[in-house]
Amino acid sequence: MYAVIALAALFVSPDYDALIDNLAGDVKTATEAHGTLSNAGIDAFPALLGRIDDKTIINNGLFQGETLHKPTIGIVSFEIIQYQIESGWPKALRRYYALNMQNVSSWLDKHKGRSITQLRIRAVVDSLDAITTEIEEQ
């Protein structure tokens, strides 16, 4: 019986949209949802992309960071995707991120079918291209 339940669990995908809603819940619920979405990697990207424009304010203090502004579901959804691909950069270099809220959907669509490793490499190449262009224009 337990083997059947365990096997069934493998074939039931998480409800990523509900998890995204949970980002605005209490700290414990939001933390668990963020962890599950982050651990899902590429599998969660379609749901996260679908919520990039969600203006629902997250008022639990969890994702506020160094800003006084309250983040939205859309911002945190984007940040989960960006962190999976580009990780965290020092503030001085963040202008070279390959991804931003405006291009993330088209960028991922352009690189559809690639593994997370391939996406990470592509993002590094795009960032280095931007840095090289800036240096050459100086």
Side-chain angles (χ1 to χ4, degrees):
M1 168 103 173
Y2 293 110
V4 172
I5 293 170
L7 186 59
L10 289 174
F11 296 107
V12 176
S13 62
D15 184 353
Y16 294 124
D17 212 44
L19 287 167
I20 294 168
D21 288 335
N22 288 347
L23 293 171
D26 62 75
V27 171
K28 181 177 186 267
T29 302
T31 300
E32 290 172 0
H34 189 273
T36 301
L37 290 163
S38 295
N39 290 335
I42 290 176
D43 292 341
F45 283 10
L48 291 164
L49 281 173
R51 300 295 288 275
I52 292 285
D53 295 323
D54 190 328
K55 304 290 185 217
T56 303
I57 301 281
I58 298 176
N59 202 20
N60 57 25
L62 187 62
F63 306 108
Q64 203 163 336
E66 299 174 12
T67 178
L68 296 176
H69 303 287
K70 301 232 186 291
T72 64
I73 292 280
I75 289 169
V76 173
S77 293
F78 165 73
E79 288 174 349
I80 291 170
I81 293 170
Q82 184 179 47
Y83 193 81
Q84 292 295 308
I85 295 172
E86 298 187 275
S87 200
W89 289 23
K91 280 186 180 181
L93 298 175
R94 290 182 185 166
R95 70 178 187 256
Y96 299 112
Y97 273 134
L99 300 175
N100 58 54
M101 294 265 307
Q102 292 72 39
N103 78 353
V104 65
S105 188
S106 61
W107 191 93
L108 285 171
D109 191 47
K110 181 179 176 182
H111 304 295
K112 194 176 199 152
R114 294 186 182 197
S115 69
I116 191 72
T117 300
Q118 291 169 324
L119 292 174
R120 289 173 180 157
I121 292 167
R122 183 73 251 167
V124 168
V125 169
D126 289 354
S127 295
L128 289 173
D129 287 346
I131 292 168
T132 302
T133 299
E134 183 178 300
I135 290 169
E136 289 173 352
E137 290 175 356
Q138 290 180 356

